């Protein structure tokens, strides 16, 4: 079975777009993250809805008109987000 | 403790206790025009004490203590007792302040708006703030700017201006009528001399101001001004804040608001005259 990914619940995050980067405060860890696209978009897509990487890619492609979506790069970004504690694998 | 002194600096009250008369006498003289803490209650207590009983009299060494301490703080000689007191007061703010987001920055005010200057030690933020004070700006502080998470306003903390090395001569010339403390030679930071902020800055120290410009000065290069992205300002100010982590969500909200609502520039400057001209030009263009 494919790995599912789930983001921290939206009410545990404060998300403030600063410029090209987005500042995110994670209440559970008291940590501040400064993130570039597509990390904030991934967090939004996974908010409350566990998805596997293929379904997430399809959702991002539909929501953001991605033309050169790369599954390998998406897995790398997901791994980074898991490292931060903002996304969990299930 | 044998000797006591209390003072209000901006919204913060301090009580200093000392084993020796000297540092308290210097504080009494230099802070003579400052008010006392409201209702006599200090926010922070500072202690200047001898680490061994005989150190009160024999080669006296001043240890600094208080509500919050750094375990590795080294003692200073009694001739540097005033510096010890100032360092101890700063330390209480840096470690204990919870009401405001503390930015390691100088700040000056004009037309009700605040200019906040931050940078590495030696960038000239103290000197620039002191020079601007002699040119009609209100000095809000040379070391800490207090950002109120509830309002987004900068509150003043106009302690004695700490002038180091070359800045001493610069300010003696720029403020010939200023009230200066004793010259403290050979301190761990070189020569230090304190300058009392002007009467207007002290009288208005409880008036906050809306931040209008954040400046990152760097001394020693040809005059250049560049914009600084809000995200870069955010990162630099988290590093320039001593209590960002402690304030948690309030600190995050205060800082994101500050960086998204306030212009920011970096300036390189070859001499203080150029820096003043660059600052005034940026201010006019706001």
């Amino acid at each position: 079975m494919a790995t599912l990914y789930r983001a921290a619940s939206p009410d545990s995050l404060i998300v403030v777009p600063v410029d090209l980067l987005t500042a995110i405060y994670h209440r559970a860890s008291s940590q501040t993250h400064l993130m570039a696209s597509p990390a904030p978009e991934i967090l939004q897509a996974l908010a409350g809805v566990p998805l596997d990487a293929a379904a997430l890619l399809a959702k991002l492609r539909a929501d953001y008109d991605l033309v050169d979506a790369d599954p390998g790069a998406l897995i790398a970004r997901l791994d980074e987000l898991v490292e931060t504690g903002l996304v969990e694998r299930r | 403790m044998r000797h006591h002194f209390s003072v209000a600096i901006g919204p913060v009250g301090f009580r200093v206790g000392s084993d020796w008369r000297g540092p308290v006498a210097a504080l009494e003289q230099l802070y003579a025009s400052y008010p006392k803490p409201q209702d006599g209650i200090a926010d922070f207590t500072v202690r200047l004490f001898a680490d061994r009983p005989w150190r009160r009299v024999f080669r006296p060494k001043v240890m600094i203590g208080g509500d919050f301490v750094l375990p590795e703080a080294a003692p200073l000689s009694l001739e540097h007792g005033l510096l010890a007191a100032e360092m101890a007061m700063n330390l209480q703010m840096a470690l204990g302040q919870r009401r405001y987001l503390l930015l390691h920055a100088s700040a000056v005010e004009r037309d009700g708006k605040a200019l906040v200057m931050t940078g590495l030690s030696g960038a000239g933020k103290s000197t620039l703030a002191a020079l601007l004070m002699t040119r009609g700006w209100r000095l809000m502080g040379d070391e800490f700017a207090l950002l109120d998470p509830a309002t987004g306003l900068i509150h003043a903390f106009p302690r004695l201006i700490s002038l180091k090395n070359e800045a001493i001569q610069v300010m003696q010339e720029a403020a010939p009528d200023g009230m200066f403390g004793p010259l403290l030679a050979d301190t761990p930071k070189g020569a230090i001399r304190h300058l009392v902020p002007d009467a207007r800055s002290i009288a208005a120290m409880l008036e906050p101001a809306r931040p209008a410009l954040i400046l990152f000065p760097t001394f020693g290069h040809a005059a250049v001004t560049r914009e600084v992205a809000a995200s870069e300002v955010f990162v630099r100010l988290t590093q320039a804040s001593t209590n960002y982590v402690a304030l948690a969500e309030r600190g995050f909200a205060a800082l994101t608001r500050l960086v998204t609502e306030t212009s920011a520039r970096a300036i390189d400057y070859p001499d203080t005259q150029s820096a003043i001209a660059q600052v005034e030009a940026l201010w006019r263009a706001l």
Side-chain angles (χ1 to χ4, degrees):
Chain A
M1 189 178 149
T3 307
L4 288 177
Y5 296 89
R6 186 175 69 172
S9 72
D11 58 2
S12 75
L13 301 176
I14 311 173
V15 179
V16 179
V18 172
D19 41 35
L20 291 176
L21 301 181
T22 301
I24 297 176
Y25 184 81
H26 187 206
R27 289 190 169 115
S29 64
S30 301
Q31 285 201 331
T32 301
H33 306 273
L34 200 58
M35 295 188 161
S37 264
E41 292 80 2
I42 291 173
L43 288 176
Q44 199 173 5
L46 293 175
V49 196
L51 296 174
D52 64 24
L56 174 62
L57 192 63
K59 184 170 168 54
L60 291 171
R61 198 180 273 139
D63 290 353
Y64 298 102
D65 289 334
L66 296 187
V67 285
D68 54 353
D70 173 358
L74 181 62
I75 295 287
R77 298 294 83 73
L78 282 167
D79 288 345
E80 289 163 3
L81 285 167
V82 169
E83 283 282 307
T84 65
L86 294 172
V87 166
E88 63 175 359
R89 287 194 195 91
R90 303 179 72 190
Chain B
M1 307 200 83
R2 290 188 193 175
H3 306 280
H4 294 282
F5 168 74
S6 62
V7 66
I9 305 176
V12 186
F14 292 94
R15 178 179 162 85
V16 181
S18 170
D19 277 347
W20 304 271
R21 174 74 192 139
V24 162
L27 291 169
E28 279 171 350
Q29 187 192 359
L30 294 169
Y31 282 108
S33 57
Y34 285 64
K36 296 295 176 191
Q38 208 178 1
D39 304 324
I41 299 168
D43 298 278
F44 296 114
T45 300
V46 166
R47 291 185 302 124
L48 306 177
F49 60 98
D51 59 344
R52 300 278 183 279
W54 60 86
R55 284 290 190 209
R56 278 196 200 129
V57 287
F58 178 68
R59 288 187 195 153
K61 287 279 185 191
V62 184
M63 292 293 290
I64 63 180
D67 304 318
F68 302 89
V69 294
L70 278 183
E72 69 274 23
L76 288 159
S77 70
L78 184 55
E79 300 87 77
H80 298 152
L82 174 62
L83 175 64
E86 287 287 311
M87 284 171 64
M89 288 158 79
N90 285 345
L91 191 64
Q92 301 313 302
M93 285 291 282
L95 300 181
Q97 179 56 245
R98 293 290 182 272
R99 183 169 158 201
Y100 302 100
L101 183 72
L102 209 69
L103 301 174
H104 186 215
S106 66
V108 290
E109 175 265 337
R110 184 180 257 183
D111 310 322
K113 295 181 290 185
L115 162 65
V116 176
M117 293 177 278
T118 184
L120 299 174
S121 190
K125 60 186 188 317
S126 254
T127 316
L128 291 180
L131 279 172
L132 288 167
M133 177 185 80
T134 66
R135 299 173 61 95
W137 298 65
R138 166 170 66 111
L139 182 97
M140 297 186 77
D142 80 318
E143 179 78 4
F144 293 128
L146 314 182
L147 177 61
D148 187 343
T151 61
L153 299 177
I154 299 286
H155 287 253
F157 184 69
R159 55 158 216 172
L160 302 179
I161 303 163
S162 173
L163 302 168
K164 297 179 198 81
N165 303 316
E166 294 80 9
I168 297 171
Q169 182 69 29
V170 169
M171 286 314 300
Q172 285 175 167
E173 286 166 15
D177 300 327
M179 184 176 176
F180 289 86
L183 178 67
L184 308 174
D186 302 322
T187 79
K189 296 176 175 178
I192 289 187
R193 195 164 187 198
H194 293 95
L195 169 61
V196 181
D198 61 14
R200 175 179 163 232
S201 301
I202 296 169
M205 70 183 188
L206 289 178
E207 292 171 21
R210 174 77 49 203
L213 179 63
I214 300 166
L215 201 63
F216 298 92
T218 304
F219 170 69
H221 303 278
V224 180
T225 300
R226 70 172 176 90
E227 286 196 31
V228 187
S231 49
E232 185 183 341
V233 179
F234 182 79
V235 172
R236 288 205 198 191
L237 291 184
T238 56
Q239 292 164 347
S241 171
T242 57
N243 66 353
Y244 173 76
V245 172
L247 258 61
E249 205 172 315
R250 286 197 304 140
F252 177 85
L255 202 55
T256 48
R257 177 177 175 184
L258 177 72
V259 305
T260 52
E261 292 182 354
T262 315
S263 309
R265 298 287 187 280
I267 61 166
D268 291 349
Y269 66 95
D271 52 60
T272 49
Q273 212 170 359
S274 303
I276 297 296
Q278 286 168 277
V279 169
E280 303 246 354
L282 283 170
W283 196 255
R284 280 193 299 274
L286 277 180

